[in-house]
């Protein structure tokens, strides 16, 4: 099977490394690629939307799984789909929405594969109601280091190690996923402004149970009495009787729009404090103080950035760090303190979101736990950024929280055990399942996984 030596990086475009990129088109070719990984091992890769180094493997093999992209069966009555791991959520939406079904969980981009969704155990705006992606996976087929293809069902140690296991237990080949029924491809959306972080948390705590989807954009450059001022957006799939007559003719039509791609070259420093501060001010001011029942297309509500191909280029050649952490209920003061620290340091982030997580998920390395999660983007070249994020890591770990491995590219390994209590069980299963370390990545080496 041909392989190209290429430079591979995450969506944040930091820390590129060179690997042999292998593109299997059959399960047999995938098995052959695993057998031929060599001393540096291999790791599966989907559409490259992990922000950090989870799908990189310096000096080894990277298996591009996007060629395995068949939808094998749809149970339109029972609401399940059996598909290859390389199928994207975008493709599932194209096929399933006209049948009245939607993916159970989607992150901020639909350009992730089903295999990647399981490996990172992705979450979305509905975690407080629906949990993470793996909660809706009934079973999957896993190619393990010994060359076997195992059918893995829910409630087994191998399932729980693979869900959120960042591809380190094997290569997911197929999955059966339970779907969400919908009546239309539109969302009924409520939007309101919160004057500060406490106002936002109070609104979320009091009323989140009324909504399937909920997320807040936060202005992390606001200071003083406006620290944490936010725009809160919540909604659910619009029922057929809420649509205007014209929209009822084709209620399940899925028509994503696309803008021109971001330019290949963007001047360094474009997203500095001045430009991001101006953007944040305008974004907050233009948001309605309170608006209910607005109809929005699914792409606009869930994936606004997908309309701009290669939007990650706007950070310049240095790329950006996406930092996401969670702290539990009862640790709100830690969240307040971190938001104040980010605000006082003037970190220029225009993609900062706060959500509430519901019940934790069974994956041993799954990220969500009940509580509050904040995600923000920061230009990688910001002076002193590494040391500052190290300090935040200490605060998060001290509060019993954790950072999201699918977005990480710089966490220190000594904090990992405190953040992920099931890490010992994960490492033990890996040693038993893959004693030669066939499946490895830049992330696993850095964090001693």
């Amino acid at each position: 099977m041909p392989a190209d030596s290429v430079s591979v990086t995450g969506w944040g475009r930091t820390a590129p490394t060179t690997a042999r990129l292998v593109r299997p088109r059959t399960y047999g070719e995938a098995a052959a690629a695993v057998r031929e990984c060599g001393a540096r091992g291999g790791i599966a890769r989907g559409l490259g939307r992990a922000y950090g180094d989870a799908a990189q493997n310096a000096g080894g093999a990277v298996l591009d799984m996007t060629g395995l992209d068949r939808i094998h069966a749809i149970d339109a009555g029972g609401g399940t789909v059996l598909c290859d791991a390389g199928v994207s959520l975008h493709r599932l939406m194209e096929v399933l929405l006209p049948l009245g079904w939607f993916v159970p969980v989607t992150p901020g981009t639909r350009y992730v594969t089903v295999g990647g969704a399981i490996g990172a155990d992705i979450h979305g705006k509905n975690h407080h109601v629906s949990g993470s992606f793996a909660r809706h996976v009934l079973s999957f087929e896993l190619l393990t280091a010994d060359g076997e293809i195992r059918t893995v069902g829910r409630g087994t140690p191998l399932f729980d190690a693979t869900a959120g296991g960042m591809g380190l237990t094997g290569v997911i080949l197929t999955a059966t996923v339970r779907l969400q029924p919908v009546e239309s491809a539109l969302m009924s959306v409520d939007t309101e402004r919160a004057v500060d972080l406490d106002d936002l948390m109070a609104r979320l705590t009091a009323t989140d149970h009324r909504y399937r989807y909920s997320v807040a954009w936060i202005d992390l450059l606001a200071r003083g009495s406006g620290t944490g001022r936010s725009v809160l957006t919540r909604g659910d799939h619009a029922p057929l009787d809420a649509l205007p007559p014209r929209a009822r003719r084709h209620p399940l039509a899925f028509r994503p729009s696309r803008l021109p791609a971001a330019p290949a070259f963007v001047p360094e420093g474009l997203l500095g404090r001045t430009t991001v501060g101006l953007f944040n001010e305008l974004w907050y001011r233009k948001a309605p103080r309170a608006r209910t029942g607005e109809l929005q297309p699914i792409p606009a509500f869930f994936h606004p950035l997908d309309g701009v191909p290669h939007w990650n280029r706007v950070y310049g050649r240095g790329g950006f760090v996406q930092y996401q952490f969670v702290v539990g209920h009862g640790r709100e003061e830690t969240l307040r303190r971190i938001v104040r620290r980010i605000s006082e340091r003037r970190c220029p982030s225009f993609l900062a979101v706060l959500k509430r997580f519901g019940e934790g998920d069974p994956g041993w390395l799954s990220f969500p736990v009940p509580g509050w999660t904040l995600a923000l983007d920061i230009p990688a070249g910001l002076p002193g950024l590494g040391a500052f994020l190290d300090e935040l890591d200490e605060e998060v770990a001290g509060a019993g929280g954790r950072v999201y491995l699918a977005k990480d590219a710089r966490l220190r390994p000594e904090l990992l055990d405190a953040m992920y209590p099931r890490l010992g069980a994960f490492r033990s299963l890996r040693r038993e399942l893959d004693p030669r370390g066939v499946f490895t990545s830049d992330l696993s080496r850095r964090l001693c996984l």
Side-chain angles (χ1 to χ4, degrees):
M1 191 182 344
D4 301 321
S5 181
V6 298
S7 178
V8 181
T9 186
W11 192 246
R13 304 176 76 199
T14 60
T17 55
T18 300
R20 291 182 297 107
L21 190 66
V22 186
R23 299 177 176 86
R25 292 293 185 268
T26 66
Y27 305 148
E29 288 185 357
V34 169
R35 288 194 300 269
E36 298 164 5
C37 278
R40 295 286 287 181
I43 193 72
R45 181 181 176 93
L47 289 166
R49 291 303 180 105
Y51 286 84
D53 55 3
Q56 300 173 210
N57 183 22
V62 170
L63 281 63
D64 179 346
M65 297 299 293
T66 57
L68 291 167
D69 60 353
R70 291 171 295 172
I71 297 176
H72 296 280
I74 299 170
D75 181 352
T80 61
V81 61
L82 168 62
C83 63
D84 282 344
V87 173
S88 69
L89 299 191
H90 172 82
R91 178 62 180 151
L92 287 181
M93 291 176 197
E94 285 183 322
V95 172
L96 296 171
L97 266 170
L99 303 177
W101 296 100
F102 190 62
V103 295
V105 172
T106 177
T109 175
R110 59 186 179 273
Y111 294 110
V112 297
T113 62
V114 169
I118 298 170
D121 202 11
I122 60 171
H123 57 271
K125 300 176 182 179
N126 60 338
H127 190 277
H128 63 292
V129 172
S130 303
S132 58
F133 192 87
R135 190 180 296 186
H136 306 272
V137 176
L138 303 180
S139 64
F140 53 79
E141 289 185 307
L142 186 71
L143 173 63
T144 51
D146 55 10
E148 285 190 40
I149 297 177
R150 309 182 186 210
T151 299
V152 183
R154 294 183 55 80
T156 63
L158 188 51
F159 188 102
D160 293 345
T162 302
M166 307 311 297
L168 297 173
T169 60
V171 179
I172 298 169
L173 298 177
T174 69
T176 300
V177 182
R178 186 174 56 240
L179 304 170
Q180 167 71 34
V182 296
E183 295 182 18
S184 78
L186 293 173
M187 305 297 297
S188 177
V189 182
D190 294 353
T191 305
E192 58 192 284
R193 289 194 303 203
V195 297
D196 59 24
L197 183 60
D198 284 340
D199 182 27
L200 172 63
M201 290 193 291
R203 291 170 188 254
L204 285 167
T205 301
T207 60
D208 238 15
H209 63 280
R210 302 177 189 169
Y211 298 89
R212 180 176 296 276
Y213 302 99
S214 179
V215 67
W217 168 88
I218 296 186
D219 181 2
L220 289 177
L221 285 175
R223 291 186 288 183
S225 61
T227 299
R229 66 178 182 176
S230 314
V231 178
L232 177 56
T233 307
R234 297 182 286 189
D236 207 337
H237 299 278
L240 194 60
D241 59 13
L243 273 56
R246 185 173 180 180
R248 294 183 197 181
R249 298 175 194 169
H250 304 284
L252 293 166
F254 181 56
R255 302 188 183 97
S257 60
R258 285 175 74 84
L259 298 172
F265 173 77
V266 176
E268 298 297 321
L270 177 65
L271 295 182
R273 293 186 178 99
T274 301
T275 53
V276 172
L278 178 60
F279 170 87
N280 287 3
E281 182 69 28
L282 293 173
W283 191 259
Y284 182 76
R285 293 297 175 189
K286 85 175 188 64
R289 294 185 182 276
R291 180 175 60 202
T292 61
E294 181 191 17
L295 294 178
Q296 294 183 9
I298 277 175
F301 181 76
F302 289 106
H303 316 118
L305 287 175
D306 281 348
V308 184
H310 306 294
W311 63 263
N312 57 338
R313 294 174 180 170
V314 301
Y315 292 86
R317 292 172 61 185
F320 69 102
V321 172
Q322 174 85 185
Y323 185 70
Q324 183 169 5
F325 68 90
V326 59
V327 292
H329 294 301
R331 297 289 188 168
E332 285 79 8
E333 189 51 43
T334 299
L335 175 64
R336 294 186 186 98
R337 187 164 53 248
I338 290 176
V339 168
R340 284 197 300 269
R341 291 189 64 180
I342 294 170
S343 173
E344 290 165 359
R345 201 176 188 281
R346 310 290 288 158
C347 291
S349 175
F350 76 98
L351 291 175
V353 296
L354 182 75
K355 292 179 287 196
R356 289 178 75 233
F357 280 158
E359 182 182 348
D361 299 288
W364 293 347
L365 298 188
S366 291
F367 170 64
V369 295
W372 305 90
T373 180
L374 176 66
L376 61 147
D377 65 298
I378 313 171
L382 191 70
L385 178 61
F388 178 65
L389 293 182
D390 284 347
E391 294 173 3
L392 297 190
D393 290 341
E394 296 278 359
E395 283 218 46
V396 169
R402 59 184 58 162
V403 300
Y404 192 16
L405 298 183
K407 296 184 176 181
D408 177 59
R410 27 82 34 212
L411 180 68
R412 291 172 293 148
E414 57 266 28
L415 292 177
L416 203 61
D417 286 271
M419 292 182 172
Y420 289 90
R422 301 300 303 274
L423 183 61
F426 178 81
R427 285 172 169 154
S428 178
L429 185 142
R430 274 203 73 205
R431 285 192 296 268
E432 177 184 339
L433 195 65
D434 184 9
R436 296 184 294 115
V438 171
F439 297 112
T440 189
S441 65
D442 291 353
L443 174 88
S444 70
R445 290 193 192 93
R446 176 171 55 83
L447 294 178
C448 306
L449 290 173

